[in-house]
Amino acid sequence: MANVIVFAPICFEQGMAGSKRLGNLSKDIPPRYAVVNLFAGMNGKKTRGHTSLSFSGFVEFYHQVVRLKRDYEMAYFYYYGYPTIQNIHYLLLVHLLGYHLILDIVEDYRVVRGLKKGLRWKIKINVSLLLLKLSRFFPISYVGISEPIIQWLNNYIADAQRIICIPVSVDSELIHRIKKKEVTAGDRLTFFYGGTFAEKDDILILLEAFNLLVKSYSRGVKPRLILTGKASADKISPVTEYIRVNELQESISYLGFLSDADYYHAIHHADILIMPRNNSDFSNTGFPFKLGEYMATGNCTIVARIDSLIGLIHDDEVVFYQPSDIQDLKERMLEASSSEHLRREVGKLGRKRSLYHFSSKNHSKKLIRFLEA
C-alpha cells in the first residue's frame, strides 16, 4: 500500500460520538489505503486509549508519525476537532513531516463560546478560533458535519475547494444484522431517548411532553419512555426528581450508559425514537449524532426541526416538532403513538434516507474522492 490515513485523536472503540464518527468513516476506506487509529499522547484525557499530555507522550507520538510517514508514500492525518493550545505542536509536527492534514469540525465554536463561563474557557475557545483562521494559510482540508458549519467555514477559510460536508455516518452493515422485533397486539408502546442530557437536548421539555401524553390515556396500556446515556449527577438529578414528583416511575426508566450491543438492541426494539433539541444556535448549527442510526432502524423518529436538518431530511421521513415547544412535541408523540400506519411509513422512508445519505460506505468514498481531487 502506498497511502495511509491516520485517524486521531480518539480511539475507535470508545463508544462515544467522536469515536463512532471516526470508526464508521474508516470502515470502508478502499484497500489501497492503510488505516491507522492514532490516539496516544494527544490531548491529555485519561480515558481509554489516551496517555497524559507530557513530554513522554509527545515523544511516543513523534516516533509513530515518523515511522508511518517513512513507510508510506502519501500520508493523510484526519484530526477530529479544532487546533488548540494543547495540540498545536502535534499538528505542526504532522504538517512539517509532510502529512496532508484534515480537520473535522463538528461544532461552531462561535456559539459554543457562550455555553460556559470563566476566563479560561473564553481564552481556550478564542485561541482555537484564531488558530483555525490562521490554518487557512497552510495546505489543510476541512470537513464539516452540517451545512450551517460548512457555510461558516466557507466564509472563515475563504476557500470552498478545501471544504466538504460529511454528516453523521451509520454503520449500515451493523444495522442490517440486527433484527427488528415482531410487534404483537397489546404490546406497550415504547419511546426511546439516548444522549448526554445536555442543555441542548431539552430533556425537561421531553419529560413534560411525555407526562402530558401519559395523562391523555384515560384507558388502555400507557406508553413508556426509556432514557439512556452517560451524564453527570447534576444533569441526572433534575430528571429523577421530575420522575419522582410526577409519580412517573412506572412509565419512565433510566438505564444509564449502554454498551454498543445493548444500545443497538434498545433502539431496534423501541417503537418511537426521540431526538429532542432546543432552539439555540448550538443546536441549529450542529448535527444530532444519533439521528442517522435512529432512522436506519426503520422505527419512527421524532426530531426537533433545527436548521441543520432543513432541506436534508423531508417531512415524510421523520416526524418533526418545533424545538422547545412542549405542546407541539406532545401532539407529535400522540400522533405517532396513535397510528401504526404512520410509524411504519415514516420508519420505512426514514430508513431509506439514512442508508443512502448517512451510509458510512458512501461517506468513505466521498472522503477519498475529496482527498484525491
Side-chain angles (χ1 to χ4, degrees), residues 82 110 126 128-134 136 150-159 163:
Y82 280 74
R110 297 172 305 166
N126 287 332
S128 288
L129 285 169
L130 175 61
L131 291 173
L132 183 67
K133 185 136 188 140
L134 293 174
R136 64 181 175 164
I150 291 297
Q151 292 171 16
W152 168 58
L153 285 174
N154 283 334
N155 293 329
Y156 210 62
I157 305 301
D159 188 352
I163 303 168

Side-chain angles (χ1 to χ4, degrees), residues 325-343:
D325 189 325
I326 296 172
Q327 193 61 37
D328 190 43
L329 176 54
K330 178 256 182 179
E331 291 299 326
R332 302 290 76 76
M333 294 169 75
L334 180 60
E335 178 185 17
S337 61
S338 303
S339 174
E340 184 180 342
H341 174 75
L342 172 68
R343 295 197 301 272

Side-chain angles (χ1 to χ4, degrees), residues 318-366:
V318 298
V319 175
F320 279 117
Y321 78 95
Q322 294 304 314
S324 299
D325 189 325
I326 296 172
Q327 193 61 37
D328 190 43
L329 176 54
K330 178 256 182 179
E331 291 299 326
R332 302 290 76 76
M333 294 169 75
L334 180 60
E335 178 185 17
S337 61
S338 303
S339 174
E340 184 180 342
H341 174 75
L342 172 68
R343 295 197 301 272
R344 184 171 60 250
E345 290 304 306
V346 168
K348 181 175 67 175
L349 293 175
R351 177 177 171 83
K352 184 177 179 181
R353 165 68 63 176
S354 178
L355 296 184
Y356 171 74
H357 198 81
F358 302 130
S359 163
S360 59
K361 186 174 295 186
N362 291 343
H363 287 177
S364 296
K365 292 177 181 178
K366 185 176 183 179

Side-chain angles (χ1 to χ4, degrees), residues 82 105-116 121-133 146-157 280-286 307:
Y82 280 74
I105 306 299
V106 301
E107 295 176 340
D108 184 342
Y109 267 18
R110 297 172 305 166
V111 300
V112 170
R113 187 162 37 196
L115 296 181
K116 295 182 182 179
W121 173 256
K122 289 182 178 179
I123 290 174
K124 174 186 174 181
I125 296 299
N126 287 332
V127 168
S128 288
L129 285 169
L130 175 61
L131 291 173
L132 183 67
K133 185 136 188 140
S146 69
E147 283 301 329
I149 286 180
I150 291 297
Q151 292 171 16
W152 168 58
L153 285 174
N154 283 334
N155 293 329
Y156 210 62
I157 305 301
S280 65
D281 290 338
F282 185 48
S283 294
N284 281 295
T285 56
D307 290 350

Side-chain angles (χ1 to χ4, degrees), residues 6-7 19 46 105 131 144 150 181 216 219 266 301:
V6 179
F7 289 89
S19 60
K46 295 181 180 179
I105 306 299
L131 291 173
I150 291 297
K181 70 172 182 179
S216 71
R219 58 185 178 182
T301 300

Side-chain angles (χ1 to χ4, degrees), residues 306-325:
I306 54 176
D307 290 350
S308 57
L309 303 183
I310 295 174
L312 179 64
I313 297 174
H314 303 142
D315 285 16
D316 56 353
E317 296 164 345
V318 298
V319 175
F320 279 117
Y321 78 95
Q322 294 304 314
S324 299
D325 189 325

Side-chain angles (χ1 to χ4, degrees), residues 186-189 217-224:
D187 278 358
R188 190 178 188 185
L189 202 74
Y217 277 72
S218 58
R219 58 185 178 182
V221 181
K222 294 183 178 182
R224 65 173 176 170

Side-chain angles (χ1 to χ4, degrees), residues 224-244:
R224 65 173 176 170
L225 171 62
I226 293 177
L227 306 173
T228 71
K230 186 177 182 180
S232 56
D234 63 308
K235 290 188 175 70
I236 291 297
S237 181
V239 174
T240 55
E241 180 65 11
Y242 184 92
I243 294 171
R244 184 189 67 79

